[in-house]
Amino acid sequence: MNAPSFIDKVLLMMRPFMKKELMDVLCVHPVGSGSLGRHVPIEALPSDAGGSYSKMAECQAAVAAKMRNNRDFFAHENKKRVVESLRPGKPKTISDIFGCVEGSFKKLDID
């Protein structure tokens, strides 16, 4: 939202290195474009951003208060750990996760 005009060009350069699913999810809305209304109801935005909800500072204070009220939950969640040896199947590698970015960039040719 309110992205600078050059972001579209940056994304076009990054497109070959990103998965198609990620590019389908990513939407850029330049200042004053009005395209945000197709994805998000404008009424849901804070009043600072042109919506009819409360101000951004009030939203931040409400979220911070909720997090402080749930401090015990976050402390307990922070103690949980994953034991990778118990995970079924073969272990995942970086190339499994980031399959579209393979090889070395030492030989990268840009046309």
Side-chain angles (χ1 to χ4, degrees):
M1 187 170 104
N2 296 334
S5 59
F6 64 88
I7 291 296
D8 286 336
K9 292 161 188 64
V10 170
L11 285 176
L12 284 173
M13 289 190 303
M14 292 174 51
R15 184 177 297 261
F17 306 108
M18 296 174 72
K19 289 186 176 183
K20 183 182 178 335
E21 296 84 18
L22 181 60
M23 288 303 294
D24 291 342
V25 172
L26 194 61
C27 296
V28 177
H29 306 284
V31 177
S33 68
S35 63
L36 182 63
R38 287 179 278 188
H39 301 280
V40 177
I42 300 299
E43 298 83 30
L45 294 175
S47 60
D48 302 350
S52 58
Y53 199 67
S54 57
K55 293 188 180 264
M56 183 76 73
E58 294 170 6
C59 294
Q60 289 174 344
V63 169
K66 279 186 180 180
M67 291 182 77
R68 278 194 291 282
N69 291 339
N70 293 314
R71 181 176 300 202
D72 295 335
F73 169 78
F74 291 116
H76 179 68
E77 284 292 310
N78 197 29
K79 292 179 184 176
K80 292 182 179 179
R81 297 288 181 248
V82 174
V83 180
E84 291 292 332
S85 62
L86 300 177
R87 188 180 299 270
K90 68 175 194 151
K92 292 198 181 273
T93 63
I94 295 295
S95 61
D96 293 336
I97 298 169
F98 301 105
C100 63
V101 182
E102 294 177 358
S104 172
F105 287 102
K106 292 178 184 175
K107 300 176 185 175
L108 180 65
D109 291 329
I110 298 176
D111 294 334

